Amino acid sequence: MMPSLPINQLKLQPVMSDNDLALNKSGISRFLPLLLLPVWFLLYLNLQRLTDKLVFDVFGLTAGLHLTETIRFFIFEVPKVLMLLALIIFFVGIIRTYFSPERTRKALEGKSLFTGNVMAASLGIVTPFCSCSAIPLFLGFIESGIPLGVTFSFLIAAPMINEVAVVLLFGLFGWKTALIYVTTGLAIAIIAGWVIGRLHLEKWVEPWVYELKAGAHLEDEKITFSSRVMLGFAAVKEIVGKVWIYVMIGIAVGAGVHGYVPEDFMASFMGKSAWYSVPLSVLIGIPLYSNAAGIIPIVSALIEKGAALGTALAFMMSVIGLSLPEMIILRKVLKLPLIFTFIGVVGTGIIIVGFLFNYIF
């Protein structure tokens, strides 16, 4: 499974070319966001009109045909999603410069179990770490004496609730669904971490992990706000540059579903009437190799064709939050009983969320 958010791979030094540094020193760069924002909003507000003009006037396609609707869906959704990603990642990229592994460890040290779970899950949302950071983060937390359950709350929230997922959900479903996703993902991370902590499963951590001694950690480097702004731009270039292909592939598959898959077919095994749809979707989602950028556009099309919201959210959460590659990575520091417990606790939470929202909506 591709890492949800490879922000931790960003190189803080150097992130600017000589031209960028010259632009920054001249003071012009501080006005760049102000110049780009009006252009962004102008394009975003006119995307539907521009798409229709391109599809019907330039391409001369006939409205109502399967092929026309497929192409129209793809042309509209790709720039919309990429524009939303660029805008949000820029601002989140600035926020994330205030968090580092050392600062995160310090924030979690000495906290009680449930308080630590809440803080860890909350920090997992805004800190620049993903599933590929599992081992170094796990080791760093253990070295600092952070409880095992608190560590898992962080490791669940960090990849599952990220700006790529939130932006895609907001752009494709609206703010209510995005809020549901964040709220339920946070609840799963907190409760699952708390349960794992209460089970006292430290014996299933590989012994060599506890033999490590915490070394001296470097103090966080102070960064000027203008540098943080440039790091925000660097985050946009880095992340969008890595996920755009998955966005396009996901939207292409979603466009095909949108244009050609009959609604009755999808509703038959992912609708509310199919009692097995939620657990089946979770089981299917765990081994899949994808990330938020690739899976959410597909989920959007599935819902449009009759899949229930809770079933689709459960499927999406299992793909993003319970990736098989991450479990393989964690095997280096965890024994199999703890990994299976982790999958079982989180998977159960996702299934409950799926059934709950199928019942509510």
Side-chain angles (χ1 to χ4, degrees):
M1 182 175 185
M2 289 295 296
S4 306
L5 274 181
I7 298 182
N8 60 301
Q9 298 174 6
L10 284 174
K11 297 180 180 179
L12 298 183
Q13 298 177 347
V15 295
M16 294 175 282
S17 64
D18 293 338
N19 291 335
D20 293 329
L21 289 172
L23 183 64
N24 189 38
K25 290 179 180 179
S26 69
I28 299 176
S29 62
R30 70 184 62 181
F31 298 105
L32 192 57
L34 296 178
L35 296 174
L36 292 178
L37 281 176
V39 176
W40 187 96
F41 280 106
L42 182 64
L43 287 174
Y44 188 80
L45 293 175
N46 287 279
L47 270 180
Q48 187 67 68
R49 186 175 64 84
L50 293 173
T51 299
D52 290 343
K53 185 173 182 60
L54 184 63
V55 170
F56 299 122
D57 296 344
V58 177
F59 294 162
L61 298 177
T62 303
L65 298 179
H66 292 303
L67 179 62
T68 301
E69 291 305 309
T70 299
I71 294 175
R72 186 167 174 262
F73 182 93
F74 181 81
I75 292 176
F76 175 71
E77 294 295 344
V78 167
K80 182 180 81 169
V81 169
L82 291 178
M83 288 177 69
L84 284 170
L85 279 177
L87 182 69
I88 301 301
I89 288 173
F90 170 69
F91 288 110
V92 174
I94 294 175
I95 294 172
R96 285 183 164 181
T97 61
Y98 292 93
F99 295 90
S100 67
E102 172 62 12
R103 185 170 293 178
T104 303
R105 282 193 293 265
K106 288 181 178 179
L108 295 177
E109 286 178 3
K111 300 297 186 297
S112 61
L113 185 58
F114 188 75
T115 301
N117 292 126
V118 174
M119 288 190 62
S122 301
L123 286 171
I125 298 176
V126 296
T127 44
F129 314 118
C130 58
S131 58
C132 57
S133 311
I135 290 179
L137 280 173
F138 187 90
L139 295 179
F141 286 178
I142 293 297
E143 288 179 19
S144 301
I146 296 171
L148 186 64
V150 174
T151 299
F152 271 107
S153 284
F154 184 91
L155 293 181
I156 295 167
M160 184 184 291
I161 312 170
N162 58 74
E163 70 268 32
V164 173
V166 174
V167 169
L168 288 171
L169 287 170
F170 173 77
L172 297 174
F173 297 105
W175 68 268
K176 290 183 179 179
T177 302
L179 182 61
I180 288 172
Y181 174 76
V182 172
T183 303
T184 54
L186 191 62
I188 290 172
I190 293 170
I191 296 173
W194 181 81
V195 170
I196 291 174
R198 296 291 295 176
L199 292 175
H200 302 293
L201 305 177
E202 286 77 8
K203 63 181 179 181
W204 287 336
V205 177
E206 292 292 347
W208 65 267
V209 174
Y210 292 110
E211 296 172 2
L212 294 174
K213 293 183 179 179
H217 300 298
L218 296 176
E219 292 295 325
D220 295 329
E221 181 181 357
K222 292 184 178 180
I223 306 175
T224 63
F225 184 75
S226 61
S227 296
R228 297 183 194 278
V229 171
M230 297 307 295
L231 287 171
F233 278 112
V236 173
K237 182 179 179 181
E238 180 81 7
I239 298 170
V240 176
K242 288 185 176 182
V243 305
W244 69 268
I245 185 64
Y246 301 102
V247 171
M248 294 190 68
I249 292 173
I251 292 177
V253 175
V257 174
H258 171 83
Y260 289 97
V261 175
E263 293 185 10
D264 293 342
F265 173 77
M266 194 55 57
S268 64
F269 68 93
M270 290 192 75
K272 291 183 180 181
S273 59
W275 64 267
Y276 54 83
S277 63
V278 174
L280 179 62
S281 297
V282 172
L283 289 175
I284 293 174
I286 291 175
L288 288 184
Y289 189 85
S290 185
N291 57 15
I295 199 65
I296 293 179
I298 299 174
V299 169
S300 172
L302 293 178
I303 290 178
E304 182 182 335
K305 287 300 182 177
L309 176 61
T311 304
L313 285 178
F315 174 69
M316 180 181 65
M317 284 182 169
S318 65
V319 172
I320 300 174
L322 287 175
S323 67
L324 183 60
E326 183 183 0
M327 299 306 110
I328 294 173
I329 292 173
L330 284 174
R331 177 62 187 89
K332 296 181 182 295
V333 294
L334 306 177
K335 296 180 180 180
L336 286 176
L338 181 50
I339 291 178
F340 288 137
T341 301
F342 169 64
I343 294 174
V345 171
V346 176
T348 300
I350 293 174
I351 290 173
I352 291 173
V353 167
F355 279 124
L356 177 64
F357 284 100
N358 277 352
Y359 177 78
I360 295 175
F361 295 94

